[in-house]
Amino acid sequence: MKLYTRTGDDGTTGLFSGTRVSKDHPRIDAYGTVDELNACIGLAMAACRASNPFEARLLEIFGQAQSRLFDIGADLATPEGANNSSKIVRIEESHVAEVEGWIDEIDGKNPPLKTFVMPSGSELAARLHVARTACRRAERLMVALGQLEPVGAGPRRYVNRMSDLLFAMARRANHDAGIGDVPWIPTKR
C-alpha cells in the first residue's frame, strides 16, 4: 500500500465513519491539534534521559498518555452513532482519574506555587510548556466543535487534565535541574 492515496487532493479527508469532510472542518482541526499535542509530547520525551529517575517516570507516563491521545483522535474522528463507532475506545472517568493521579504524584514534589510563572527554564521544561500550549489549543478546538456537533465530555476532561499535568511536569523539570520558577512580573501602571 502506498503512503499517498490522492483522495485528499480535493481538500477533503475521510473520517473513520467513512464520511468525507473538508480538511478545515472543526472536527479535523480538533483531532489534528490532538495529533500535534502528541508530537509535542514526543519532542519532550526526546529530551528525557532514562538514567534520570524523574525523567524515566515521565517516559512511562507519556507512553500511556500518547496512546490515550490516539484514542481521543479516533474518538473525534468518529462521532458517536456513526459507522465504525462501536470500534472506538471512548475516554472514561477512569482515564481522567489516572491523569489526576499523575498530577498529584508529579506536583507533590514541586515547591508551592506563589505566582504566575513564565514558560521557561530548562530545555525539558520549555518543551513541556510548548506541549501544554498545544494541549490548551486542542481543548479550545474541542469546545468549539462541541458547540456545532456532539463531542463526548471524556476527551475534553482528559485534555484539560493533561495541560495541568504538563504544567506540573515543567515546574518539576526545572526544580530537578536546580532552576527556580521564573515569576511573572506585571508591568507597573
Side-chain angles (χ1 to χ4, degrees), residues 21-184:
V21 297
S22 174
K23 288 185 178 183
D24 67 352
H25 188 282
R27 186 167 294 282
I28 307 308
D29 214 8
Y31 78 68
T33 305
V34 171
D35 185 41
E36 181 182 348
L37 164 61
N38 219 338
C40 289
I41 287 172
L43 185 64
M45 291 171 73
C48 291
R49 298 159 296 168
S51 61
N52 175 300
F54 166 65
E55 294 173 14
R57 181 64 180 132
L58 293 187
L59 291 171
E60 290 173 8
I61 290 169
F62 283 144
Q64 295 174 54
Q66 281 192 307
S67 289
R68 293 305 70 72
L69 291 172
F70 261 82
D71 291 338
I72 289 171
D75 184 308
L76 292 171
T78 315
E80 288 192 37
N83 289 340
N84 295 319
S85 183
S86 63
K87 298 178 182 177
I88 300 302
V89 173
R90 304 290 178 182
I91 298 298
E92 299 175 354
E93 189 56 36
S94 62
H95 299 112
V96 175
E98 182 176 45
V99 179
E100 290 172 350
W102 294 333
I103 294 168
D104 294 342
E105 172 190 345
I106 299 298
D107 199 43
K109 300 214 173 141
N110 282 332
L113 189 59
K114 297 178 182 177
T115 183
F116 287 105
V117 298
M118 303 303 289
S120 62
S122 69
E123 180 178 352
L124 176 56
R127 290 179 186 207
L128 290 163
H129 278 298
V130 169
R132 177 185 56 78
T133 62
C135 191
R136 285 290 190 205
R137 185 162 26 89
E139 181 184 12
R140 289 190 304 270
L141 291 169
M142 290 164 67
V143 168
L145 174 62
Q147 293 175 2
L148 302 172
E149 300 179 10
V151 174
R156 280 194 325 269
R157 290 172 50 91
Y158 191 93
V159 170
N160 183 280
R161 294 304 183 285
M162 278 299 299
S163 65
D164 294 334
L165 175 63
L166 291 162
F167 179 75
M169 288 174 163
R171 290 191 68 227
R172 175 82 179 276
N174 278 340
H175 179 70
D176 281 14
I179 300 170
D181 288 329
V182 178
W184 169 46

